[in-house]
Amino acid sequence: MISEDLAQRVQELLDRHPPASTETREFLGAQYDAGLAWVHLPVGFGGLGLPRAAQEKVDLELAAAGAPVGGTPKNYIGMGMAAPTIAAFGTDEQKRKFLRPLFTGEQIYCQLFSEPGAGSDLAAAATRAVRDGDEWIVNGQKVWTSQAQHAHMAILVARTDPTVPKHLGLTYFLCDVTQPGVEIRPLRQITGEAEFNEVFLTDARVPDANRLGPVGGGWRVATTTLNNERVAIGTRAGVPREGGHIGKVTGAWRDRPGLRNPAMHDELMRLWVAAEVFRLSGERLRQQAVAGQPGPEGAGMKVMFAELAQAISGFEVELHGEHGLRYDDWTLRRPEVVDLTGRGPGYRYLRARGNSIEGGTSEILRNTVSERVLGLPGEHRVDKDVAWKDIPR
């Protein structure tokens, strides 16, 4: 049950700003000002200093009243990755400046982490940021950047000291991607869509006031971002039983008896059970995460999500026979929101190939699970104590 005081705050918000007649940005701004955006944050930063668990109850009450979702659908990177990182490492001034427009959707975020030569090894990033008074001048190239075509801001990891080992020379920034010197180009995928982008930074400027954490402390800050990203991808909050990929398959199985055969029945049951175990495990992890910052366990959920999506989409193609292979929609699209389970079986099969790459490759995440969750010996890393500038590339 939601507390009486919190319930009263929610009701006052709904009475003063009826969702049906209030513009989305205005409602979300009022929600933030009422401390109902992230109730665990301090008063004045969208919160009330309450336990994290209270947020889910607030969200349920608002959803039942038809209220818009914080951040708007386009800002899933801002809400799932930038916001918790700003909350964890930002100064009061940074929280005051960035959190409200992020929540209202006034500022859409993208992520400038991966690079052509450092996709699976973020610590090897080569994009350089050089101090120039109260600003940093940034040069480099980033890749696989979702939502960059819509973004106003980016979370950026850049190398500020090439003379120290790679993990120690990184710094984390909040970068304006609408400025001159930032070029965004679409990357066409196997589906024909261009969800992702490559981003070129040429003498782009970032105020030092937009630096999160200390100079050279970017790896720790980025780890917080990545842990939140993997939990967000792996847990999929609010997905019901038979939601997502498995729901598409079970729906076809029930509606089209002619597709069935005994061998496929056994495989479908195995996938259904695996999907339900994954859903319940994700719910458990999500509930644990409300007690504090997400840990490395999210890496395991992200690996499971990718494997399951690829297995289920492959089964779906087989289930539909020759029709499952049909895919003729190669139109270059720039989707507003990515729907991993949208369109037909052919699309879902092709799109699922990327699930084991985006958000951290499955190979790297298995290392994270083995070392940071299971406590197994780490892989031998010959470059661990070598200055970044001395590592062959």
Side-chain angles (χ1 to χ4, degrees):
M1 290 288 292
I2 191 171
S3 72
E4 184 176 342
D5 178 63
L6 200 54
Q8 182 178 349
R9 285 178 176 272
V10 172
Q11 193 56 54
E12 288 177 356
L13 171 66
L14 294 172
D15 290 343
R16 294 175 182 175
H17 305 274
S21 57
T22 304
E23 191 268 333
T24 295
R25 191 166 291 175
E26 178 186 343
F27 182 91
L28 294 176
Q31 181 181 345
Y32 181 92
D33 295 339
L36 299 174
W38 298 286
V39 296
H40 64 284
L41 293 186
V43 173
F45 303 126
L48 298 168
L50 299 177
R52 287 173 179 264
Q55 187 65 54
E56 183 173 5
K57 299 170 185 177
V58 169
D59 291 344
L60 288 173
E61 293 282 336
L62 293 177
V69 177
T72 72
K74 286 183 183 178
N75 211 13
Y76 57 88
I77 292 174
M79 289 293 290
M81 299 163 65
T85 308
I86 295 169
F89 291 94
T91 64
D92 285 354
E93 183 179 351
Q94 288 171 331
K95 293 173 189 175
R96 194 172 293 111
K97 178 179 179 180
F98 294 111
L99 287 178
R100 192 181 192 276
L102 187 159
F103 187 78
T104 61
E106 294 172 65
Q107 292 183 345
I108 305 298
Y109 277 72
C110 64
Q111 179 196 39
L112 297 178
F113 278 20
S114 294
E115 299 184 6
S120 296
D121 184 9
L122 175 59
T127 294
R128 287 281 280 121
V130 178
R131 188 74 178 257
D132 181 29
D134 292 333
E135 293 183 314
W136 295 82
I137 301 175
V138 184
N139 286 277
Q141 180 185 357
K142 298 291 184 175
V143 76
W144 312 126
T145 307
S146 300
Q147 296 296 92
Q149 71 270 28
H150 303 302
H152 308 94
M153 298 292 296
I155 46 179
L156 165 69
V157 172
R159 186 160 303 283
T160 50
D161 187 352
T163 68
V164 296
K166 60 183 182 180
H167 289 83
L168 303 179
L170 299 171
T171 303
Y172 195 112
F173 300 97
L174 302 176
C175 175
D176 178 357
V177 294
T178 66
Q179 65 174 296
V182 179
E183 182 184 1
I184 298 167
R185 301 178 188 173
L187 285 175
R188 190 165 185 166
Q189 300 154 240
I190 193 173
T191 60
E193 294 179 322
E195 298 170 24
F196 305 105
N197 305 270
E198 53 184 345
V199 179
F200 297 85
L201 301 128
T202 306
D203 293 334
R205 289 185 171 266
V206 180
D208 188 59
N210 285 18
R211 169 173 49 83
L212 277 189
V215 175
W219 179 253
R220 180 167 174 250
V221 184
T223 298
T224 296
T225 301
L226 294 174
N227 284 338
N228 279 281
E229 177 185 26
R230 289 156 189 172
V231 169
I233 294 175
T235 58
R236 301 282 170 176
V239 174
R241 176 179 287 188
E242 288 196 10
H245 285 85
I246 196 66
K248 301 292 185 180
V249 178
T250 54
W253 183 273
R254 294 188 180 105
D255 297 341
R256 301 177 62 184
L259 298 175
R260 305 174 189 172
N261 66 63
M264 299 194 81
H265 178 271
D266 291 345
E267 178 65 6
L268 176 58
M269 290 302 96
R270 186 186 70 79
L271 292 171
W272 189 95
V273 170
E276 185 63 5
V277 169
F278 171 77
R279 185 184 73 84
L280 295 174
S281 298
E283 180 63 23
R284 180 184 180 190
L285 179 61
R286 191 171 64 83
Q287 291 175 359
Q288 289 175 336
V290 301
Q293 287 293 335
E297 296 82 4
M301 291 300 298
K302 167 60 172 59
V303 172
M304 290 175 61
F305 166 76
E307 290 188 349
L308 198 55
Q310 291 172 0
I312 293 173
S313 63
F315 175 86
E316 185 180 20
V317 167
E318 290 188 42
L319 178 65
H320 286 272
E322 61 184 23
H323 295 289
L325 295 172
R326 295 180 61 184
Y327 183 74
D328 54 8
D329 189 1
W330 304 106
T331 306
L332 178 62
R333 300 170 183 253
R334 298 287 269 165
E336 294 287 308
V337 179
V338 177
D339 181 4
L340 298 179
T341 61
R343 297 157 70 179
Y347 170 81
R348 288 191 282 274
Y349 176 80
L350 293 173
R351 182 59 183 80
R353 303 307 100 192
N355 294 157
S356 52
I357 302 172
E358 58 195 347
T361 64
S362 293
E363 292 80 4
I364 294 297
L365 296 185
R366 287 191 179 94
N367 280 353
T368 300
V369 172
S370 67
E371 296 174 20
R372 299 186 59 201
V373 179
L374 301 178
L376 299 176
E379 283 192 350
H380 181 58
R381 296 175 171 89
V382 297
D383 60 358
K384 184 176 181 181
D385 299 315
V386 180
W388 179 85
K389 67 181 179 60
D390 297 329
I391 299 173
R393 278 177 292 279

